[in-house]
Structure formats: structure tokens, C-alpha cells
Amino acid sequence: MKQMLRAVTLLSVLMLAASAVFAQTERKSIVNIPFAFHVGEKTLPAGEYRITPYRRETDRVWLIQSQDHHAGTFVMTTPVRASAVRADGQLIFHRYGDQYFLAKVWTPGTNTGFELPLSRQERAVEVASNTEPQTYVLTAHRD
């Protein structure tokens, strides 16, 4: 009986660990961004980026890192939900002229997204331009 209980407990732990790893893998996205863009107070160059949660147990902090590891930043986010599941992920940018600010990340295969707070720099550009931002959308694919 003890061996059976140990086996069931071990199997449960292994299944839980496997599902956590699977969930972590599913939330990684890769996207080619053809322009320089702002994330928080940092400006990142055009290139291919991987977007992933920083830690498994939370999805409030995300890492945005170039595939060559030369550029990247961490960003705090607020979770948001959509009514429909998205097959591919999306990155939503606010555009003012030729300046792009990352605003939201929608993860592939879910209805979950993550909204970035407006940075001081974006607020200043918005006030200076005296216009609403245009929305620019890029498709992100699972890693």
C-alpha cells in the first residue's frame, strides 16, 4: 500500500512539473520587429526578439530580448483578457510619427495578454504631438 501511495505521489509530482514546463514553453514568442521601439524607458533596435515571462510562477514581469542577446529589457505588465483565443500572438505598438512604443503583448494560443504601462517618454511624445497614437500590430509566433 505504501509503495502504491509513493508511486501515485511521484506520478502526480512529475505530471505537475511537466505541465508547468509545458505552460512556460507555450508563453514564449518570437517576433521580427522591423523598427526601433521603446519599452518603458529603454529604446531597442530593430531585430528578431524573444518575449517570455521572466519567472514561471508569475507573468507580471516579461523579458524582451533580441535573438543575438545584444539588446533586451525587463518590463512590468498588467494581465488583460480577450474574448477569443488567438492562434498567433501579437505585439501591439503605439505609433507617433516614426516612434513606436510597445503597448501590449498577446500570447499565442490563449486569450491572455499583458499590457505595459505608459512610460514617461511616451506621455511626453503624446503631449507634444497632441494626437492619439496610431496602433501598429505585429504577429508573434511560438518559440
Side-chain angles (χ1 to χ4, degrees):
M1 184 67 170
K2 280 187 177 181
Q3 285 181 336
M4 177 100 155
L5 183 58
R6 283 184 190 160
V8 168
T9 302
L10 180 60
L11 183 60
S12 297
V13 169
L14 289 174
M15 289 176 63
L16 184 59
S19 66
V21 168
F22 179 74
Q24 176 72 7
T25 302
E26 287 298 303
R27 295 187 305 170
K28 292 180 182 177
S29 298
I30 292 182
V31 63
N32 185 24
I33 303 174
F35 44 78
F37 62 103
H38 304 278
V39 179
E41 302 303 323
K42 191 163 185 177
T43 303
L44 300 176
E48 191 170 59
Y49 284 84
R50 175 177 286 151
I51 294 97
T52 184
Y54 177 59
R55 300 179 70 173
R56 271 186 221 169
E57 58 273 1
T58 181
D59 52 11
R60 294 192 47 91
V61 179
W62 286 73
L63 172 62
I64 300 168
Q65 187 171 38
S66 63
Q67 288 289 76
D68 63 8
H69 298 279
H70 287 109
T73 190
F74 292 98
V75 64
M76 291 289 295
T77 65
T78 303
V80 292
R81 297 221 183 271
S83 58
V85 171
R86 299 168 192 265
D88 286 324
Q90 291 182 335
L91 270 64
I92 311 293
F93 294 87
H94 291 161
R95 183 170 73 95
Y96 306 86
D98 63 351
Q99 294 190 62
Y100 294 83
F101 295 85
L102 184 60
K104 286 183 187 172
V105 176
W106 291 100
T107 54
T110 71
N111 68 336
T112 305
F114 303 93
E115 189 168 40
L116 285 72
L118 251 60
S119 66
R120 285 178 286 166
Q121 187 175 9
E122 182 175 356
R123 286 179 197 199
V125 170
E126 185 177 37
V127 168
S129 70
N130 199 25
T131 61
E132 291 292 315
Q134 294 182 331
T135 300
Y136 191 86
V137 179
L138 288 176
T139 301
H141 303 283
R142 288 185 183 148
D143 183 11

